[in-house]
Amino acid sequence: MSQRHLARSIVMQSLYQWDFKGKPTSAILAIVAEQMAEFGMGLEKEETYVVETVNGILDRIADVDKKITEHAPNWSIEQMSIVDRNILRIGVYELYFNKDIPAKVAINEAIEIAKSYGGPSSGKFVNGILGAMYKEIEKI
């Protein structure tokens, strides 16, 4: 498993905790530090990516969630499982706001994380939403 894949897992776990605890934005750095301490052994080089990604998502949470809502009209953000919505947040952030990540990498990584942490249909759910976004981006 690549270092970046593990770093994305830490991003997802950090966002999950933040979301589960009622979105205490002031606590996010402590949550990330706790996740890095517990699961990030050997990922010191990826810590900047983790912190920048979490902060980038939270800085743009309204835009990120709007993109998800637009592409999942039958699901409100609140209806989605905490795991699925936070994996989607990572995917959307990487697709639209982090130009250093190729779109196909962002989608594939989100699908793999969904398969590992989500329910039986999470991979398909994430693939469907991010795939629709990718098709839209390609048209532009």
Side-chain angles (χ1 to χ4, degrees):
M1 205 174 292
S2 77
Q3 297 277 319
R4 184 57 57 95
H5 180 80
L6 293 172
R8 280 186 183 89
S9 295
I10 291 173
V11 171
M12 190 279 301
Q13 291 168 330
S14 298
L15 291 172
Y16 178 95
Q17 266 196 30
W18 165 80
D19 200 350
F20 184 78
K21 292 180 177 184
K23 302 176 184 167
T25 305
S26 61
I28 194 63
L29 291 178
I31 292 170
V32 170
E34 178 184 313
Q35 293 300 309
M36 284 299 295
E38 189 167 345
F39 302 108
M41 188 180 302
L43 291 178
E44 291 78 17
K45 291 180 181 178
E46 296 294 333
E47 187 169 3
T48 300
Y49 164 82
V50 171
V51 171
E52 287 178 356
T53 301
V54 169
N55 286 334
I57 291 167
L58 296 183
D59 288 346
R60 295 169 181 85
I61 194 73
D63 295 328
V64 168
D65 285 356
K66 182 179 178 194
K67 291 281 187 196
I68 295 169
T69 302
E70 289 171 356
H71 290 85
N74 297 326
W75 290 86
S76 71
I77 292 288
E78 294 77 30
Q79 284 179 305
M80 295 176 190
S81 75
I82 297 175
V83 171
D84 290 351
R85 76 172 156 247
N86 286 297
I87 292 168
L88 284 169
R89 286 172 171 154
I90 297 166
V92 169
Y93 174 75
E94 289 189 341
L95 274 174
Y96 289 95
F97 302 107
N98 187 341
K99 300 302 178 192
D100 294 334
I101 309 294
K104 290 184 179 183
V105 171
I107 294 168
N108 288 336
E109 285 290 320
I111 292 167
E112 290 305 313
I113 291 171
K115 288 178 183 177
S116 296
Y117 293 95
S121 61
S122 291
K124 291 178 183 178
F125 181 68
V126 168
N127 184 30
I129 294 170
L130 294 180
M133 290 177 185
Y134 178 73
K135 287 178 186 175
E136 188 177 275
I137 291 169
E138 285 294 293
K139 286 181 185 176
I140 298 169

